[in-house]
Amino acid sequence: MLSYRKTLWALVIVANLAAASGVQAQYETVFPAANQPFTDVNLENYDFQWFAPPITEQYGQDTIDPNTGIFFEYHRLFMNVSRSDVAPGPYDGDATYGNRIDVGYMTEDNHGWLISGWRLDGPAYNGVNRGDFNSIELDRTWRLPQFHQGFYIEPLMGLRYAQFNDKTSTINFVQNNMLLGQLGGRIFSHRGQWTLEGTVRAFGGQNWIFRGDQDSYSAGVAGGEFSLGAAYHITREISIDVAWETMYIGTGVGRDPFFNNDEDMTMTGVAFGFTLNR
């Protein structure tokens, strides 16, 4: 009986593996690289010419298409971070600096991936508003056909991990660990040597809050991120740009080191940097 059961299970496993292989092969035929998303990054087909003259024609006209291939962005952030509800001047905010890096790719089939991370090193005002913020996200992206007046839309869907450490109190600190799902998109249009663009993300998830060694609990989090900016192309694939960047978390942020409060939080300011091949 034991030998029979072993033989039966072996046949079941082999049959399932064979069926799974057939389904996977069919799935990859319809959606190439669906299970291996980075196999379609073929660098040999991308004609990188970093110092070629900038494109001045409008995207979508005269066979001029938006860039494809790997891209990279760096921005220096100058942000204002809101204070806790229990801090002096709770409706005020305080300035800080940070960095943001975006890297990803867009294929000629109009789909790709985006990894985005940013960090704020402050604010740094003891007893009023002190802390730091980190965020990393992974998004699946698509590029839709051209819209009216040469605009393109790139929807995105992904996951984000964000951490805010409130160190305002000299007695204890509050650490927020947020795991978020998000939806959003990027819209852009090329005019002359300028690219006008905007991005929007809406996110929600769970926040695990640790108040030093005193207490820990969790809360729901919801909010969004918005930016609007312009890029000037120095060459075909190198541009400098500036944008207004805002992130708002509407609920679920722990800041007061003594009470289990759920606060909102706003970070807004200017991002200035450069972009390669986007």
Side-chain angles (χ1 to χ4, degrees):
M1 180 64 70
L2 181 61
S3 177
Y4 172 77
R5 288 183 178 178
K6 288 183 177 180
T7 302
L8 181 60
W9 276 110
L11 290 174
V12 171
I13 292 172
V14 170
N16 275 276
L17 290 175
S21 298
V23 171
Q24 179 176 344
Q26 182 180 5
Y27 188 66
E28 289 184 346
T29 300
V30 179
F31 301 101
N35 294 322
Q36 299 179 7
F38 300 103
T39 59
D40 53 1
V41 186
N42 188 355
L43 295 179
E44 296 179 357
N45 291 336
Y46 295 123
D47 182 23
F48 293 112
Q49 297 183 27
W50 302 113
F51 302 103
I55 294 174
T56 57
E57 294 84 0
Q58 178 179 315
Y59 286 163
Q61 296 181 352
D62 300 323
T63 69
I64 302 298
D65 295 322
N67 290 349
T68 58
I70 292 177
F71 61 83
F72 175 84
E73 297 184 352
Y74 168 78
H75 292 92
R76 183 66 169 165
L77 303 175
F78 304 89
M79 306 292 284
N80 182 281
V81 180
S82 63
R83 297 178 182 177
S84 168
D85 292 343
V86 297
Y91 299 105
D92 296 330
D94 300 286
T96 187
Y97 301 93
N99 301 283
R100 177 168 188 160
I101 293 177
D102 296 83
V103 61
Y105 74 91
M106 180 63 68
T107 70
E108 295 179 355
D109 294 327
N110 295 321
H111 60 82
W113 289 88
L114 168 67
I115 299 175
S116 179
W118 53 304
R119 172 177 172 81
L120 298 180
D121 298 320
Y125 298 93
N126 286 329
V128 178
N129 194 7
R130 184 182 183 89
D132 59 71
F133 177 80
N134 302 278
S135 173
I136 182 73
E137 64 183 84
L138 174 65
D139 300 302
R140 185 61 163 162
T141 61
W142 297 266
R143 179 176 289 164
L144 301 182
Q146 182 187 21
F147 280 75
H148 183 63
Q149 297 295 327
F151 280 91
Y152 286 85
I153 295 178
E154 295 179 350
L156 64 83
M157 176 177 63
L159 292 173
R160 180 198 294 255
Y161 171 75
Q163 182 184 79
F164 177 69
N165 298 304
D166 192 323
K167 307 173 184 177
T168 303
S169 172
T170 58
I171 301 174
N172 208 353
F173 75 95
V174 182
Q175 183 181 79
N176 296 266
N177 299 278
M178 293 166 272
L179 183 61
L180 310 167
Q182 64 181 12
L183 295 171
R186 171 177 177 252
I187 183 171
F188 66 94
S189 179
H190 189 76
R191 296 288 191 278
Q193 289 182 236
W194 291 91
T195 295
L196 306 178
E197 63 179 343
T199 61
V200 62
R201 293 168 171 84
F203 52 74
Q206 197 71 11
N207 183 15
W208 289 268
I209 305 169
F210 301 93
R211 299 178 183 275
D213 57 358
Q214 293 184 359
D215 189 17
S216 63
Y217 70 104
S218 63
V221 179
E225 181 182 346
F226 171 81
S227 69
L228 184 65
Y232 180 79
H233 290 260
I234 302 173
T235 70
R236 193 182 81 172
E237 293 164 353
I238 301 176
S239 62
I240 56 175
D241 54 276
V242 62
W244 187 265
E245 180 83 30
T246 298
M247 179 182 292
Y248 175 70
I249 305 174
T251 183
V253 180
R255 302 199 67 176
D256 183 357
F258 302 108
F259 303 97
N260 292 338
N261 60 318
D262 297 332
E263 299 190 15
D264 63 345
M265 182 177 178
T266 303
M267 294 170 282
T268 185
V270 177
F272 177 80
F274 66 90
T275 299
L276 303 178
N277 194 44
R278 193 183 192 189

